[in-house]
């Protein structure tokens, strides 16, 4: 099977960590590198968080630290969900790994230009690194096979009534990416809020009994508790593994082509992904937006992913 080349751009983050775990040993994917961005926490925290997950799972994938600030707006974080470290809960052994010298943005540019085939950009945090790479070198655009992101929603937001965190944390970056002309698959809250990690799911993954399953249980211990504190629901929505699971098993998501505009101008709705679900505006579709998820198939994919670790 030909493996799909990807770069995973993330802001670990508990659900980002599970996305890394799922992608890390997936036979369908060849991870060129993991790029990290400010989002759930500062870049000074999301970078070691990514390194800790990779070191613990013995994944030899390079990590590149990226942008510590959004392109325009003031930086925001999600410590209420992910804690002061950005990955509260798990206790890792002494971190010996370091990030690569090269900045994430130049790594993205260099990798895309040097790759023979086009690369899939998977983003599970604010899209700052990818947008900056597009602006620094537009020559990378035709080397982007597709942008597959966790972000946005055509329903409610989660950081404001209108906007989802990854988009609102750097809406200008999302605007650049969504207007790049490259194919996009958007896995928004509309589907990720159906991937609810209930206690029985945590128990199911805990029964696997390897190092990945232990990390999953430790991560979900914190993540599900804070999701209940903030949103009041049982079972945290496991957002970020959804786009990775889609690349492993595309039938997990049902998508609908829509015109998607990112609101970067209004105060109340800044960061909203305005998805023209019914085609009112008769504009060209700019993204394949996920409208449903096969939840059982998703959890099967997660379990298979965790079982790949000895
Ligand atoms: O809105 C959910 C998204 O914001 C997830 O990617 C989570 O990790 C945070 O980055
Ligand atoms: Ca994230």
């Amino acid at each position: 099977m030909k493996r799909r080349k990807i770069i995973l751009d993330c802001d670990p983050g508990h659900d980002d960590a599970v996305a890394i775990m799922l992608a890390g040993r997936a036979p369908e994917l060849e991870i060129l590198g993991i790029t990290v961005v400010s989002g759930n926490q500062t870049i000074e925290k999301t970078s070691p968080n990514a390194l800790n997950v990779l070191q613990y799972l013995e994944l030899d994938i390079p990590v590149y630290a990226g942008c510590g600030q959004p392109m325009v707006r003031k930086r925001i974080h999600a410590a209420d969900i992910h804690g002061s470290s950005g990955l509260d809960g798990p206790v890792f052994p002494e971190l010996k790994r370091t990030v690569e010298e090269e900045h994430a943005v130049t790594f993205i540019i260099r990798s895309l230009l040097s790759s023979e085939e086009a690369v899939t950009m998977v983003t599970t945090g604010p899209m700052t690194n990818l947008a900056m790479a597009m602006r620094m070198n537009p020559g990378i655009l035709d080397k982007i096979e597709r942008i597959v992101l966790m972000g946005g929603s055509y329903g409610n937001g989660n950081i404001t009534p209108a906007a989802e965190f990854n988009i609102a944390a750097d809406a200008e970056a999302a605007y650049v990416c969504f207007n790049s002309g490259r194919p996009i698959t958007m896995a928004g809250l509309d589907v990720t809020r159906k991937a609810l990690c209930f206690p029985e799911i945590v128990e199911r993954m805990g029964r696997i009994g390897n190092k990945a399953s232990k990390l999953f249980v430790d991560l979900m211990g914190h993540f599900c508790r804070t999701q209940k504190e903030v949103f009041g629901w049982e079972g945290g929505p496991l957002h970020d593994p959804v786009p990775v699971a889609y690349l492993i098993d595309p039938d997990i998501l049902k998508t609908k082509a829509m015109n998607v505009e990112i609101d970067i101008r209004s105060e109340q709705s800044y960061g909203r992904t305005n998805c023209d679900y019914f085609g009112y505006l008769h504009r060209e579709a700019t993204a394949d937006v996920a409208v449903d998820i096969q939840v059982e198939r998703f959890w099967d994919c997660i379990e298979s992913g965790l079982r790949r670790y000895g």
Side-chain angles (χ1 to χ4, degrees):
M1 159 195 5
K2 183 140 183 59
R3 303 175 75 184
R4 176 194 290 261
K5 286 187 174 184
I6 74 165
I7 291 173
L8 176 58
D9 188 82
C10 55
D11 61 337
H14 293 70
D15 49 339
D16 303 78
V18 180
I20 292 171
M21 291 162 72
L22 180 58
R25 291 264 171 91
E28 300 83 357
L29 305 176
E30 178 189 347
I31 305 176
L32 302 182
I34 289 178
T35 50
V36 185
V37 68
S38 167
N40 285 322
Q41 264 296 354
T42 63
I43 191 74
E44 292 76 19
K45 295 179 178 179
T46 53
S47 298
N49 289 345
L51 291 167
N52 265 315
V53 172
L54 293 166
Q55 175 179 280
Y56 175 76
L57 295 173
E58 297 177 83
L59 289 171
D60 186 18
I61 301 168
V63 176
Y64 300 83
C67 297
Q69 298 288 343
M71 293 178 87
V72 175
R73 65 153 296 159
K74 184 174 171 300
R75 198 174 64 178
I76 59 170
H77 300 306
D80 57 340
I81 296 293
H82 300 278
S84 59
S85 73
L87 208 62
D88 282 14
V91 177
F92 294 101
E94 182 197 354
L95 180 59
K96 297 195 169 77
R97 284 203 49 183
T98 59
V99 293
E100 304 299 311
E101 284 295 310
E102 187 176 19
H103 191 281
V105 174
T106 49
F107 164 74
I108 290 169
I109 293 168
R110 176 174 61 81
S111 300
L112 294 184
L113 293 181
S114 60
S115 173
E116 266 182 39
E117 65 253 42
V119 175
T120 300
M121 289 301 306
V122 184
T123 66
T124 63
M127 303 177 84
T128 317
N129 288 336
L130 180 53
M132 290 296 285
M134 289 179 174
R135 284 295 190 251
M136 274 179 72
N137 191 331
I140 65 172
L141 288 178
D142 60 9
K143 297 302 283 295
I144 298 173
E145 190 269 337
R146 179 170 284 266
I147 302 167
V148 181
L149 70 130
M150 190 280 137
S153 72
Y154 52 84
N156 243 331
N158 65 351
I159 189 80
T160 69
E164 179 277 327
F165 178 83
N166 285 340
I167 306 299
D170 193 343
E172 284 76 11
Y175 181 95
V176 168
C177 295
F178 273 76
N179 288 281
S180 66
R182 298 315 296 151
I184 292 174
T185 299
M186 178 183 122
L189 297 175
D190 319 284
V191 295
T192 64
R193 276 175 164 165
K194 293 180 180 176
L196 299 175
C197 191
F198 291 114
E200 52 268 29
I201 294 290
V202 180
E203 286 154 24
R204 168 179 169 183
M205 304 306 166
R207 285 194 294 271
I208 297 170
N210 63 15
K211 62 167 73 174
S213 86
K214 181 183 181 316
L215 180 54
F216 182 91
V217 171
D218 291 349
L219 287 164
M220 291 303 103
H222 175 88
F223 182 71
C224 294
R225 179 170 54 74
T226 56
Q227 286 282 344
K228 182 164 172 63
E229 285 167 4
V230 174
F231 295 99
W233 47 42
E234 292 301 330
L238 206 49
H239 305 291
D240 291 340
V242 171
V244 176
Y246 164 75
L247 289 175
I248 294 168
D249 178 5
D251 291 338
I252 279 177
L253 291 181
K254 179 184 174 193
T255 62
K256 186 176 194 290
M258 303 182 199
N259 177 271
V260 179
E261 290 287 336
I262 310 295
D263 189 337
I264 55 174
R265 291 182 174 78
S266 84
E267 195 169 320
Q268 269 188 336
S269 302
Y270 173 87
R272 176 148 186 83
T273 49
N274 282 310
C275 302
D276 192 358
Y277 189 98
F278 296 105
Y280 296 124
L281 302 176
H282 304 294
R283 287 182 184 155
E284 181 198 2
T286 52
D288 296 322
V289 178
V291 295
D292 204 1
I293 182 172
Q294 293 198 50
V295 176
E296 267 316 301
R297 205 164 164 147
F298 169 75
W299 291 122
D300 290 348
C301 182
I302 295 289
E303 181 175 353
S304 304
L306 298 185
R307 286 188 180 280
R308 288 199 188 94
Y309 294 86

